[in-house]
């Protein structure tokens, strides 16, 4: 789990780990169902060790993680502000996929068109799942907006695979 996401979810107010997990699930909609609860606590521990979170024990709570209240430190608040201000856009690793095609063709490991087709089938499966999930969400919900972004990204990736297919078909025909 991306640490900045956890920090940002704590920016509103200090929270118990279970409250944070619930907020993440609400924000992610059906995508949050696959979230590993243990990973949230691992991330919280890392952030505490990095000095980005402070931990207080709840009244009457033993040393259990569900009794801890997590709050941003000044360094954590600064990191959230920096992350919010970043203009970078996460993108799939197209260079890695491209290099996979080049290596497969040059070493005779696999047919690049077969690799493209396999990737296309996987993206189409993900697109169907995202579209189904989007249809199940209320209009204008946070999760619906996220799912729309996923659908648009997958559609763009599929268009790029079409370009890859044309390129490799052209190379194969030698024209």
């Amino acid at each position: 789990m991306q640490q900045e996401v956890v920090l940002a979810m704590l920016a509103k107010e200090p929270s118990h780990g279970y409250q944070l997990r619930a907020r993440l699930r609400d924000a992610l909609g059906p995508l949050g169902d696959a979230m590993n609860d243990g990973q949230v606590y691992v991330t919280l521990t890392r952030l505490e060790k990095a000095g980005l979170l402070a931990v207080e024990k709840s009244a009457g709570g033993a040393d259990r993680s569900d009794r801890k209240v997590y709050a941003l430190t000044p360094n954590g608040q600064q990191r959230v502000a920096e992350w919010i201000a970043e203009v970078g856009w996460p993108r799939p690793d197209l260079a890695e996929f491209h290099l996979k095609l080049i290596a497969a063709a040059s070493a005779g490991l696999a047919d690049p068109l077969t690799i493209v087709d396999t990737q296309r089938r996987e993206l189409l499966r993900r697109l169907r799942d995202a579209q189904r999930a989007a249809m199940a969400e209320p209009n204008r919900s946070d999760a619906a907006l996220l799912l729309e972004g996923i659908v648009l990204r997958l559609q763009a990736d599929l268009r790029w695979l079409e370009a890859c297919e044309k390129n490799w078909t052209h190379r194969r025909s030698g024209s």
Side-chain angles (χ1 to χ4, degrees):
M1 171 163 297
Q2 188 174 353
Q3 294 182 356
E4 287 83 358
V5 171
V6 172
L7 289 171
M9 295 302 280
L10 289 168
K12 179 180 178 186
E13 62 189 359
S15 298
H16 292 279
Y18 67 87
Q19 293 169 318
L20 177 63
R21 287 191 335 258
R23 273 196 245 147
L24 286 165
R25 280 201 174 92
D26 287 346
L28 294 171
L31 300 176
D33 294 340
M35 184 176 52
N36 179 341
D37 291 345
Q39 187 61 36
V40 172
Y41 287 103
V42 168
T43 302
L44 288 168
T45 300
R46 286 186 185 144
L47 292 168
E48 178 186 5
K49 287 179 182 177
L52 300 172
L53 291 181
V55 178
E56 299 175 14
K57 305 278 192 260
S58 292
D63 191 27
R64 292 177 31 193
S65 60
D66 64 343
R67 299 291 182 206
K68 295 179 180 178
V69 176
Y70 298 90
L72 293 178
T73 63
N75 287 342
Q77 292 170 345
Q78 180 181 346
R79 181 62 200 124
V80 170
E82 291 167 356
W83 180 65
I84 296 295
E86 286 176 8
V87 293
W89 184 257
R91 59 183 184 272
D93 196 346
L94 300 179
E96 182 180 332
F97 184 76
H98 179 70
L99 292 171
K100 183 189 295 187
L101 295 175
I102 299 290
S106 65
L109 300 172
D111 178 11
L113 290 172
T114 301
I115 296 170
V116 168
D117 188 54
T118 301
Q119 186 69 22
R120 178 187 299 111
R121 283 195 309 271
E122 174 60 18
L123 291 180
L124 286 169
R125 183 193 65 74
R126 291 180 188 181
L127 179 60
R128 275 192 308 275
D129 291 348
Q131 288 172 326
R132 284 184 190 130
M135 289 173 52
E137 284 297 312
N139 285 342
R140 302 191 194 290
S141 72
D142 292 337
L145 181 60
L146 171 63
L147 289 164
E148 180 182 357
I150 291 169
V151 166
L152 292 171
R153 169 78 48 93
L154 289 167
Q155 290 170 339
D157 289 346
L158 284 164
R159 284 194 304 277
W160 184 70
L161 285 177
E162 288 175 18
C164 289
E165 181 179 43
K166 288 177 184 174
N167 180 304
W168 286 96
T169 300
H170 178 73
R171 287 182 186 204
R172 181 181 283 167
S173 67
S175 41

